[in-house]
Amino acid sequence: MNAVFLAACSPRRGGNSDFAASLVRLTIGAPCETRRVAEEGVRPCVSCGFCDGRPGECSLDGPGDGARVLFERMCRSPLSVVVSPVYFYHLPAQAKAWIDRTQRFWACGKKPGEGRPVTAVLLGARPRGEKLFEGAERTLRYMALTLGLTWVEPLRLYGLDAPGDLAASPEAADRVRDFASELSRRFLA
């Protein structure tokens, strides 16, 4: 079995997202591969049209650009979890640039994800907000659709701003562990 894929989307090391990813990794009960999206050198889509005639391919692929490898890992994994802070109602720029590169798969007849599940742990600094996660979730759902993955309802955590807030909240940490346990039960048993 391939490892569970964890996409750590914070551009900063050592924050709540990294801690959440470590909780998922320790709880899930299966081998995990964690990749830090901000460190993969993903260049943003330039709308060059290259993938229009070559579905699944991108003119930006090459040495130093990690988008293709991230997609391959995600689409071969039995389960993928995107762990991300929410910045101004959306994903960090580096993660959004990676997701924009799924455009290459839009015209593919056979989608590479083959229905495998993908979900997210989203962390917001605001203590409340009806639409706080809406932009990030919508983008992640369309990424799943384009890759042929099955979107699974994410975990949303509010009020985690400072780097140690998740570690200092046993209740929030337990929610992450419970979420990871449920994912394991549903998709890895």
Side-chain angles (χ1 to χ4, degrees):
M1 172 169 75
N2 286 321
V4 171
F5 178 73
L6 302 176
C9 294
S10 179
R12 137 184 109 179
R13 282 188 170 272
N16 295 310
S17 298
D18 282 355
F19 186 62
S22 72
L23 290 174
V24 170
R25 188 181 73 251
L26 293 170
T27 306
I28 203 104
C32 294
E33 176 184 9
T34 303
R35 300 295 286 257
R36 296 187 52 75
V37 175
E39 296 175 4
E40 295 292 326
V42 175
R43 293 187 292 260
C45 178
V46 294
S47 192
C48 67
F50 183 86
C51 62
D52 291 344
R54 299 169 189 86
E57 297 180 33
C58 179
S59 67
L60 299 175
D61 285 344
D65 183 272
R68 181 184 53 76
V69 170
L70 290 171
F71 293 135
E72 286 173 356
R73 299 291 198 281
M74 179 176 264
C75 290
R76 286 194 310 230
S77 295
L79 170 67
S80 295
V81 183
V82 176
V83 184
S84 183
V86 171
Y87 291 173
F88 201 65
Y89 294 82
H90 221 290
L91 301 164
Q94 298 85 351
K96 181 63 168 71
W98 170 52
I99 291 168
D100 286 350
R101 296 275 298 278
T102 61
Q103 179 63 36
R104 69 172 74 196
F105 300 106
W106 189 253
C108 286
K110 182 178 181 215
K111 304 292 186 178
E114 298 179 344
R116 292 178 183 89
V118 61
T119 189
V121 175
L122 300 171
L123 304 100
R126 295 186 58 187
R128 63 190 167 282
E130 181 182 319
K131 298 185 185 239
L132 179 59
F133 301 106
E134 189 174 293
E137 286 184 47
R138 186 177 301 259
T139 296
L140 289 166
R141 279 195 312 271
Y142 284 113
M143 174 196 70
L145 175 70
T146 303
L147 289 170
L149 298 167
T150 300
W151 178 245
V152 176
E153 188 72 16
L155 174 63
R156 300 169 197 89
L157 298 170
Y158 289 87
L160 302 171
D161 191 18
D165 282 355
L166 178 57
S169 173
E171 178 185 302
D174 283 345
R175 289 188 63 207
V176 175
R177 287 185 196 96
D178 291 347
F179 184 70
S181 292
E182 178 63 15
L183 291 173
S184 182
R185 186 192 65 73
R186 285 178 63 191
F187 301 110
L188 303 174

